[in-house]
Amino acid sequence: MYMNERYSRQIRLTDFGIEAQRKLFSASVLVIGAGGLGCPALQYLAAAGVGRIGIADPDVVELSNLHRQILYGTESLGLYKADAAAARLRDLNPDVAVEPYIYPVDQHNALSLFERYDYILDGTDNFESKYMISDAAAMLGKPLVFGAADQYDGQLAVFNVTGPDAIAANYRDLFPEPPGKDQIGNCADNGVLGVLPGIIGTMQAAEVIKMITGVGTALVNQLLIYDIRNQQMSKLAIVPSTISYRLPASANEFIAMNYSLNCGLSDDDIEEINAQRMEQLYLGGGTLLVDVREERETPRLDAAKFVLAPLRDFDSFLNNHYKEERIVLVCQHGIRSLHAAQQLQEKWGNDKKIYSLKGGIAKYPQYFVAKTKLS
C-alpha cells in the first residue's frame, strides 16, 4: 500500500521516502469545519495518505459556499458538508478512513472527540469556536493548526507544540482577550476573496504533514500573516502572554465555560427566532423589522418593510424613538443581529421585546429572495 503509484511523487523526495509515508498512514487528523479552510486541507491530507481523517461540521452546502469551497459542486447543495466531503475524499483516496460528524463540536463533546485524533486542524470562522477548540486542545496537549481568512488577509500558526525555546504557545498567548461586541465578524459578514482560504487551508495541511513526517520545520510559536493583495508574508514570534489567563483545569470546568459570553455573545433575554415566527410577528402588527447589514450587502430588502441600520453606525438607530413594541433584527448570518439586539437591550431595557433572526437571511432565502413574503 505504501509503495503504490499514488504516493510515488512524494516518496521519492529527499528526506521523505517510505518511512514518512508510513507515518502519514499511521496518523489521524480531525478537521473542524469543512468550509473555506477545511476543504483544501481535507483534500491534501487525504491525497497525501493520512490514514484516518475526521470531518466535523453541522452545516449544509449553500450556493454562496461554492466560490471558495471547491470540494463541493452544484449537486452537493443541501447536503451535509461532512457527508459530502467524506464521499469526495473516499473517492479521492480509498486508502484513507474518513469519519464524518454532522453535529457541532462543543464543550460537551470536544474533549472526547479530540482524544481520538493525533492532530487537530481548526477550520472554523468564528471566535467562540476558536477559543473553545484551543482550550480543549491545550488541555489535552494536542497539536493544533490554526488558520483564519478574512477579506484579503490570512493567518496561520501551530499551537501546543514545544519549540526550541521550550515554549508551547496556545491561541490565548496570541489573543488572550476575546474581542468586544463590535469587533466580531467572520467571512460571512465581512466577505472573503475565494482563493484566500484555499491558500491558508493548504498551508494548514502542509503544517500537519510536516509535523507527522518530521520533514521540514513546522510553524511552532510563530504567526504567519499573509496579504493576498500584494503576496506579502510576514512572521511574528508568539511568546507567553503578559495578560493573565487560565485554561480550564478539568472537564467539568471546561463544560461550564461560557464561550459565547466570554466573546461578548450573551443571549440573556434575547430571543432568537426563525423566519416563520418573524413573519407572524410582522403580520400581527406592532413589530419593527431592522436590517443591520451594510448598504452594499445583498439581497437588498424592501425599504417599506425593513429599516436599514448598519451595525457600524448603530448609535444613530439607538437615538431614535420607535412606537413599535417589538423589534426583530436581521443580518446575513445572525451574528451581527444578536450584537445589535444586545445593544438595544442595554439601551432600552425591558421597554420593548427584542428578537434576533437566528441563522440570518442566508438560512431563509425563500423569505428574502425572489417571491419572498417579507421583501
Side-chain angles (χ1 to χ4, degrees):
M1 179 179 293
Y2 304 120
M3 288 299 293
N4 68 32
E5 186 178 357
R6 181 184 297 274
Y7 312 112
S8 61
R9 296 298 190 274
Q10 60 194 39
I11 287 175
R12 69 180 59 175
L13 285 168
T14 303
D15 299 328
F16 198 94
I18 189 65
E19 185 57 33
Q21 193 61 51
R22 286 196 181 100
K23 290 178 180 177
L24 284 173
F25 200 74
S26 298
S28 59
V29 181
L30 174 65
V31 176
I32 307 173
L37 297 170
C39 281
L42 286 165
Q43 286 173 285
Y44 279 102
L45 291 172
V50 171
R52 186 163 60 90
I53 299 174
I55 310 170
D57 196 313
D59 293 338
V60 298
V61 180
E62 300 176 355
L63 187 61
S64 62
N65 300 148
L66 300 186
H67 93 294
R68 65 194 181 283
Q69 299 175 23
I70 58 173
L71 188 58
Y72 313 117
T74 303
E75 71 281 358
S76 305
L77 294 175
L79 300 178
Y80 283 110
K81 289 182 179 180
D83 286 340
R88 178 68 186 95
L89 297 186
R90 290 171 184 142
D91 178 62
L92 176 65
N93 190 350
D95 295 345
V96 175
V98 185
E99 302 173 5
Y101 305 98
I102 60 173
Y103 51 79
V105 176
D106 59 27
Q107 292 122 284
H108 297 281
N109 57 42
L111 294 176
S112 60
L113 186 58
F114 287 16
E115 285 176 342
R116 300 179 54 191
Y117 292 88
D118 301 323
Y119 300 87
I120 311 299
L121 190 150
D122 180 5
T124 62
D125 66 352
N126 63 85
F127 287 107
E128 310 95 276
S129 295
K130 289 190 180 299
Y131 277 94
M132 186 274 296
I133 291 167
S134 173
D135 284 355
M139 290 173 68
L140 297 173
K142 296 286 184 178
L144 171 65
V145 181
F146 156 81
D150 181 58
Q151 300 187 58
Y152 300 101
D153 301 307
Q155 297 179 345
L156 179 73
V158 173
F159 297 124
N160 308 327
V161 177
T162 302
D165 51 7
I167 294 171
N170 70 67
Y171 184 70
R172 290 186 183 272
D173 287 311
L174 183 60
F175 302 115
E177 294 286 351
K181 296 178 183 179
D182 298 330
Q183 297 173 299
I184 295 179
N186 57 29
C187 70
D189 299 324
N190 299 337
V192 65
L193 189 64
V195 70
L196 176 64
I199 294 169
I200 300 299
T202 302
M203 289 180 175
Q204 287 181 277
E207 293 304 305
V208 172
I209 291 171
K210 289 191 295 181
M211 286 191 287
I212 293 172
T213 62
V215 174
T217 302
L219 198 67
V220 174
N221 298 335
Q222 298 179 82
L223 176 69
L224 184 146
I225 302 171
Y226 174 62
D227 185 340
I228 197 171
R229 287 167 294 192
N230 53 25
Q231 297 290 13
Q232 182 175 339
M233 291 188 186
S234 58
K235 290 182 184 178
L236 300 175
I238 302 174
V239 298
S241 173
T242 58
I243 300 175
S244 177
Y245 67 84
R246 187 175 70 84
L247 296 173
S250 66
N252 287 338
E253 188 174 326
F254 175 68
I255 291 173
M257 291 281 287
N258 188 342
Y259 288 94
S260 292
L261 179 61
N262 290 343
C263 289
L265 289 175
S266 172
D267 58 0
D268 292 346
D269 302 320
I270 304 297
E271 184 177 348
E272 295 186 89
I273 60 174
N274 59 27
Q276 293 87 345
R277 176 61 174 153
M278 179 179 67
E279 181 185 34
Q280 291 171 354
L281 291 173
Y282 177 75
L283 294 178
T287 299
L288 181 69
L289 305 180
V290 182
D291 179 2
V292 301
R293 301 173 303 153
E294 302 297 318
E295 292 185 13
R296 59 181 167 77
E297 294 184 68
T298 57
R300 287 263 47 89
L301 307 185
D302 186 349
K305 305 243 174 71
F306 288 83
V307 174
L308 181 63
L311 189 59
R312 62 179 172 79
D313 190 29
F314 202 61
D315 285 344
S316 297
F317 177 83
L318 291 173
N319 291 329
N320 291 327
H321 176 74
Y322 296 94
K323 66 180 186 300
E324 289 84 358
E325 297 177 358
R326 293 175 296 274
I327 298 179
V328 181
L329 299 119
V330 305
C331 68
Q332 204 72 8
H333 285 260
I335 297 173
R336 287 170 290 175
S337 61
L338 186 56
H339 298 318
Q342 291 163 347
Q343 291 186 44
L344 288 183
Q345 191 77 15
E346 293 170 3
K347 175 83 172 181
W348 294 343
N350 296 320
D351 291 345
K352 298 181 186 296
K353 180 60 179 175
I354 300 166
Y355 303 88
S356 175
L357 180 65
K358 187 176 180 63
I361 294 167
K363 188 172 182 178
Y364 303 98
Q366 69 271 28
Y367 284 87
F368 298 99
V369 185
K371 297 182 180 179
T372 91
K373 299 176 182 178
L374 289 177
S375 64

